[in-house]
Amino acid sequence: EGGEGRQGLVPLPGGQSCLLVAGDLGMTVSGEGEPTGSVVQFPAEPEAVHASCDPYLLAVFAKSVYVYDSRKGPRDSHSQTLNLPIFLSPNKPGRVVVESMMGSGGSSSSVLVVVAHGTDLFFLARTGLEDQCREALRQGRHEECLAIAETSSREEERVELEQNSRAEAGIALLHQGRTREALGYLRGCAGFGAEQ
């Protein structure tokens, strides 16, 4: 085995700290190299790590991109896996490059992440929480939808997404004849009393 690995420092937004990546571990450190945050354990050594989409950290692997939420603890931080349509072969010359740029909106929600390796180029765009919730509900993944709603950093948006997601999940389950499960979601809605 041997080899150098892909260890290094990945700058974090704000410029006050970095993510130190060594093998399959990532640790937030200060400019002086002192640990300041939680540790992330990747499933394997990533081809590349990108941290400019605060609060998300992207780890690129040969077949997928893992998305981690830096606001959560190490055990709960993996939020999503994006499968790549091809295999990023470690035998290709060159390295995997991951860069970000602002979309035309200029806000953090319009960040576009580009993954490049050899002649392959992938564009990853951030999808709004409302759209993510809608897709999870469409696929019948009700608990995942609520987990997505909870990731909003804005209290008002989080409450609205959670309430709407609970109501929509409850209605969908009622249509499927799954009354007990539906009531579990509907009871979490504001204005829905236990007597109803």
Side-chain angles (χ1 to χ4, degrees), residues 57-75:
L57 171 72
L58 306 178
V60 180
F61 299 96
K63 296 180 182 179
S64 58
V65 176
Y66 277 40
V67 180
Y68 295 88
D69 187 337
S70 63
R71 298 170 294 187
K72 296 183 179 181
R75 292 187 178 184

Side-chain angles (χ1 to χ4, degrees), residues 3 24 54 73 75 85-86 91 100 109 114 143 146 167 172 178 182 187:
D24 64 348
D54 192 39
R75 292 187 178 184
I86 65 158
N91 298 327
S100 64
S109 64
V114 180
E143 288 300 315
L146 292 176
R178 296 163 59 187
R187 284 189 180 112

Side-chain angles (χ1 to χ4, degrees), residues 51-140:
S52 295
C53 295
D54 192 39
Y56 300 101
L57 171 72
L58 306 178
V60 180
F61 299 96
K63 296 180 182 179
S64 58
V65 176
Y66 277 40
V67 180
Y68 295 88
D69 187 337
S70 63
R71 298 170 294 187
K72 296 183 179 181
R75 292 187 178 184
D76 302 322
S77 64
H78 176 250
S79 0
Q80 188 175 15
T81 301
L82 307 169
N83 292 320
L84 296 173
I86 65 158
F87 181 73
L88 298 180
S89 172
N91 298 327
K92 278 187 181 177
R95 62 187 180 94
V96 175
V97 178
V98 184
E99 291 294 332
S100 64
M101 60 187 89
M102 289 297 221
S104 57
S107 70
S108 64
S109 64
S110 64
V111 171
L112 179 69
V113 177
V114 180
V115 178
H117 182 56
T119 58
D120 302 314
L121 193 61
F122 303 97
F123 294 92
L124 308 173
R126 190 173 189 172
T127 303
L129 293 178
E130 188 174 341
D131 291 335
Q132 291 180 49
C133 285
R134 190 176 300 116
E135 180 62 19
L137 285 171
R138 188 184 69 72
Q139 295 180 13

